[in-house]
Amino acid sequence: MLERAQKRFFSEGEKIFTQGETGDCAYIIESGRVEVSVTSDAETAVLTTLGVGEIFGEMSVLDGSPRSASATAMEPCILIIVSSEALSERFQAADPVVRLLINVLLKHVRFSNQSQVKGLINLKASDAKVIASEDKEQQKLDALERLKLEADLKQGLDEKEFQLHFQPIVSMETCKIVGFEALIRWNCPTRGMVRPDVFMEIAEETSLIVPIGKWVIEKACECLAKFEGALSKGNIKNKIFMSINISGRQFHDVNFMNHLEATVANYSLSPKNIKLEVTERCLMEGTTALQAIKMSRAEGFLVALDDFGTGYSSLSYFNQFDIDVLKIDQSFVRSMKSGKKMRVVTQAIASMASGMELSSIAEGIETDEDYQSLKRMGCDYGQGYLFSKPLPFDNAYQYLINDLRSSDRAV
Ligand code: C2E
Ligand code: CA
Ligand code: CA
C-alpha cells in the first residue's frame, strides 16, 4: 500500500510541471486525465492526453535534462509519485547496452516531440542538451564498446582466434610439475592479445561462454593427452593433471556433462586428472551449478574452489557440497607481505584446507620468500611467476620435458 506522501492530488487545470523545469520525479496516473504539451515562442502543441495507469515525466529523470514538455491536469487527478532515486537506481543498475538503447530512444522521442510543434524545431540545441554530460558520453562509449566486443568475440570464435596458455603447477615439496592450469588468450586481429579479464565477463553475460568453454575443454584435453604422451615416452608413471576454469553459466548448458565426458573419453584421459576450477560466485548462482558439480565429482572429476576468500564467501558452502582442492587466491599471497594479520589469515586458509583433507594450491607465487612462507604453512601445490608464467603449448611442453629430465621426479 502506498503512503500518502507518495501521491499527490491536482485539481482541474492545475499545472503538474512546466517545460524547462528540472525533473525530480515521474508520475503514474491513479485517477483522472493529464494533457502533455510543448510550447515554443508563443505556440503550443498538445502532444498527447494520458489516462489511468500511464506514466509520464520519466524522461528528464532518466537523462537528467530539463522537462521537455508541460503537464496539466485536465480533471481532478490523483498521481502516484515515482521518485528520481527509484528510477535512476534501476536505470543505473541496468545493462549498459539497455541504458544506451534507452538514451537513444529518449533522443528520438524528444526529437519527434519537437517536430510536432510546427516551425519550432531546434534539433541541434535539444541534441546538445541530451548528450551534454561527459558522463553520458562515456556510458555511450562503454555500451558501444561492449556491443563491438561481443561482435568481435563471435567472430573470434568463428575465426579460431583463441589460444590456450598453460601455467605449470608444482609440488611445494619438490618444485616439480604436477599439473597445468589452462588459461585462455584471445589473439584479436584488431585489438591484439586480449586478456581474459577483459572479454570473459562479456562472454559470461552472453551465451558465448558456452561455445568458448567447450572449445577450452576440448583444447585442454587435447593438450593434456600430449603432455601425458611426453610422460609415457620418458617411462614416467606419475600422472599430471589439467586444471580447467569453468564459468557458472556453462553448467546451465544441458550438454555440459555429456560434452565433458565425451571429450575426456575421446582423448583416453581419466577424469581424475581433470580439475574443474569453479569460483565462489558460481556456487552462489543457484542449484544448477551445485548439481552439475556434484555430478562431475560422481563421474570422477576433481573440483577446485578458485579465488577462495575473495567473493562473498560463506564457510557454510563447505557443508553444502564437496570439493577436492582449495585455491588460495593470489591476493592473500600478495597481502602476506603487508603484515602479520594477513599471514595469519593465509595460514588459517591453508590449515583449514588440510584439516578438511582438501589439497591446497597457492596462486601468484612470485618470490622465493612467498614460496618459503607458503611451504611452511603447509600448502601442497603452488603456481606463479617464480616457477613460470602461463606458456603457449610448445613452450609448456618443453618446460615439462626439461622438468622431467632435471634430476629425479619425486612422487
Ligand atoms: P585465475 O583462474 O585466478 O587465473 C590466474 C591468473 O593469475 C591468470 O591470469 C594468471 O596468468 C595469473 N598469474 C599466475 N601467476 C601469477 C603471478 O605469479 N603473479 C601475477 N600477478 N599473476 C599471476 P589470466 O590468465 O589473465 O586469467 C585471468 C582470469 O581469467 C583467470 O583467473 C580466470 O578467472 C579467467 N580465465 C582464464 N581462462 C579461462 C577459461 O578458459 N575459462 C574461464 N571460465 N575463465 C578463464
Ligand atoms: Ca583458475
Ligand atoms: Ca584464481
Coordinates of all heavy atoms in Angstrom, one line a residue, residues 306-307 329 363, ligand 3:
D306 N 38.2 -21.9 -6.8 CA 39.1 -20.9 -7.2 C 38.8 -19.6 -6.5 O 37.7 -19.4 -6.1 CB 38.9 -20.7 -8.7 CG 40.1 -20.1 -9.4 OD1 41.1 -19.8 -8.8 OD2 40.0 -20.0 -10.7
D307 N 39.8 -18.8 -6.4 CA 39.7 -17.4 -5.8 C 39.0 -17.5 -4.4 O 38.3 -16.6 -4.1 CB 38.8 -16.5 -6.7 CG 39.4 -16.4 -8.1 OD1 40.5 -16.7 -8.3 OD2 38.6 -16.0 -9.1
D329 N 43.9 -17.7 -3.2 CA 44.0 -16.6 -4.2 C 45.2 -15.8 -4.0 O 45.8 -15.6 -2.9 CB 42.8 -15.7 -4.0 CG 42.7 -14.7 -5.2 OD1 42.4 -15.1 -6.3 OD2 43.0 -13.5 -4.9
E363 N 48.3 -19.6 -5.3 CA 48.5 -18.9 -6.6 C 49.3 -17.7 -6.5 O 49.4 -17.1 -5.4 CB 47.1 -18.3 -7.1 CG 46.1 -19.3 -7.5 CD 44.8 -18.6 -8.0 OE1 44.5 -17.5 -7.6 OE2 44.2 -19.2 -8.9
Ligands
CA3 CA 42.4 -17.9 -9.1

